[in-house]
Amino acid sequence: MTETTRTDWTRAEAAALFDLPFADLMWRAQNVHRANFAANEVQFSTLLSIKTGGCPEDCGYCSQSAKWGTGVKAEKLIDVAAVLDTARAAKEAGAQRFCMGAAWRNPADRHIPALVEMVEGVRAMGLETCMTLGMLSDPQAEALAGAGLDYYNHNLDTSPEHYPEIITTRTYDDRLDTLARVRAAGMNVCCGGIIGMGESRSDRIGLLVALATLPEHPQSVPINALVPIAGTPRGDAMLVGEKPAIDGLEFVRTIAVARIMMPRSVVRLSAGREAMSDETQALCLLAGANSLFVGNRLLTTSNPEADRDAVLFARLGVVPMAMERASEFA
Ligand code: SAM
Ligand code: DTB
Ligand code: SF4
């Protein structure tokens, strides 16, 4: 069975996939995965927060919004040299892509020269580059693309109808506009969302349909499990038990449906691995996830230690994705 790349997915089709018996869904997802990728290869990315905290946006899940009392302190953009030192260490530890994140609504033009130096320096080490800096203007997108930025991460986060309950300071359309600018500048799009924010299955369907009906599928699709941060509305809702954490099998189903709907996209099992059992992570990979964050830090929260990951990857027979192949899918 082969599945073609379609951008006309409907919610009814996505709902029918979610409703499949678990084994049938996993069978479909594995077939799509194996038709498009080497079965056991996983792309490894490492994250660094290059500008932490003090963000003017009100994303209801985020430790870095100035609106919530999370204890994360506002810092300035860090030095290029510090970024390059961390990237070198990430490369030595096996990362293939280095992702730099900033807690901004959008970058200021005065920051662009330093950001360009970071991209050029990281690329010169033979790492792929990714940045997530908030909204971009056309000239900013062009400057970053000109520096060789391989990917720009900007998430839709949830369905259009659930979105206003999560963020009020920028709209879904603002996000779609930024994605269009990134595409127009010729960069690969990294775009996904967060599962476990109290959304319904219909919202998970809405998110995946929004992603799969973009003019082109994002080359990289991060599926994050909410990391609950005390002091944020979404984190507190989970931590005080008002909204339960996402069920592991429903998270696996979400990954499998993403794999089927976006057959040639690299799907990342993104934030939230630390709280997941090895078995749930294994099911996510079986469902078609083929990218992970490695390194003990995400942006402000922790990720599994290298030792735990090394044991897991060895037990599963997971190997790093060949770089040529990673680029071929870009
Ligand atoms: N400020 C930029 C922006 O929002 O576009 C870039 C950084 S922001 C932290 C990148 C993404 O990380 C968010 O869109 C969200 O999907 C994810 N994220 C942030 N906090 C999270 C959390 N607590 N749990 C899971 N994912 C999270
Ligand atoms: C994405 O989708 N997930 C990453 C990356 N893009 C920038 C961020 C995860 C952040 C998890 C919470 C934290 O460490 O602050
Ligand atoms: Fe700011 Fe990004 Fe966090 Fe939203 S997700 S508050 S934009 S850092």
Side-chain angles (χ1 to χ4, degrees):
M1 179 184 53
T2 54
E3 310 247 353
T4 51
T5 303
R6 291 175 43 202
T7 55
D8 61 352
W9 285 94
T10 65
R11 288 198 181 207
E13 288 173 312
L17 290 172
F18 265 98
D19 283 342
L20 283 171
F22 188 75
D24 292 349
L25 177 58
M26 295 297 276
W27 170 250
R28 287 274 300 269
Q30 259 295 305
N31 273 296
V32 173
H33 188 67
R34 285 168 184 262
N36 290 286
F37 291 97
N40 300 299
E41 287 189 357
V42 170
Q43 188 278 336
F44 294 120
S45 296
T46 289
L47 257 177
L48 174 68
S49 180
I50 58 171
K51 194 272 163 212
T52 304
C55 183
E57 304 279 345
D58 68 352
C59 309
Y61 48 77
C62 186
S63 63
Q64 304 197 70
S65 166
K67 300 260 186 331
W68 324 129
T70 63
V72 171
K73 291 204 181 66
E75 291 172 14
K76 294 204 163 115
L77 182 64
I78 63 177
D79 289 344
V80 176
V83 172
L84 299 188
D85 284 348
T86 311
R88 208 167 290 114
K91 165 108 181 155
E92 274 163 24
Q96 299 170 304
R97 186 178 309 163
F98 193 64
C99 308
M100 295 158 266
W104 283 323
R105 175 173 167 82
N106 51 264
D109 286 341
R110 71 188 150 84
H111 289 133
I112 298 296
L115 297 169
V116 162
E117 267 188 67
M118 291 174 192
V119 171
E120 289 172 348
V122 172
R123 265 197 131 216
M125 293 174 197
L127 281 161
E128 290 183 323
T129 50
C130 179
M131 279 184 167
T132 180
L133 315 168
M135 297 188 281
L136 293 181
S137 66
D138 283 327
Q140 290 176 340
E142 280 153 24
L144 294 170
L149 184 61
D150 297 297
Y151 289 80
Y152 194 80
N153 167 245
H154 198 67
N155 290 337
L156 293 178
D157 277 351
T158 191
S159 67
E161 63 275 21
H162 189 230
Y163 184 89
E165 288 176 44
I166 308 294
I167 299 140
T168 69
T169 48
R170 66 179 160 195
T171 65
Y172 218 72
D173 280 346
D174 289 333
R175 292 192 183 242
L176 294 171
D177 286 350
T178 297
L179 294 172
R181 290 198 173 93
V182 170
R183 270 194 309 274
M187 288 181 282
N188 294 303
V189 170
C190 173
C191 184
I194 308 179
I195 307 301
M197 296 196 293
E199 76 286 346
S200 61
R201 176 178 280 184
S202 153
D203 292 317
R204 292 187 276 280
I205 289 166
L207 167 66
L208 295 185
V209 170
L211 294 168
T213 57
L214 287 168
E216 273 175 56
H217 291 171
Q219 285 75 19
S220 166
V221 178
I223 305 291
N224 297 278
L226 177 71
V227 180
I229 311 282
T232 64
R234 291 300 103 211
D236 285 347
M238 190 200 281
L239 294 167
V240 302
E242 176 201 321
K243 302 273 188 192
I246 184 77
D247 167 65
L249 292 182
E250 181 70 8
F251 187 82
V252 173
R253 278 183 187 273
T254 308
I255 299 246
V257 176
R259 164 50 64 231
I260 294 166
M261 291 171 72
M262 294 171 278
R264 291 181 64 78
S265 301
V266 170
V267 176
R268 179 173 307 117
L269 167 55
S270 192
R273 285 204 300 121
E274 198 176 36
M276 257 176 225
S277 68
D278 287 356
E279 290 79 3
T280 303
Q281 293 186 59
L283 282 175
C284 289
L285 298 181
L286 197 62
N290 57 348
S291 172
L292 298 170
F293 282 123
V294 291
N296 59 8
R297 210 83 204 131
L298 293 170
L299 292 174
T300 65
T301 65
S302 52
N303 196 44
E305 292 291 336
D307 298 2
R308 176 182 166 195
D309 270 352
V311 172
L312 177 64
F313 300 159
R315 285 167 79 204
L316 298 180
V318 156
V319 294
M321 190 180 282
M323 285 293 267
E324 331 61 272
R325 202 166 356 257
S327 323
E328 180 199 328
F329 287 108

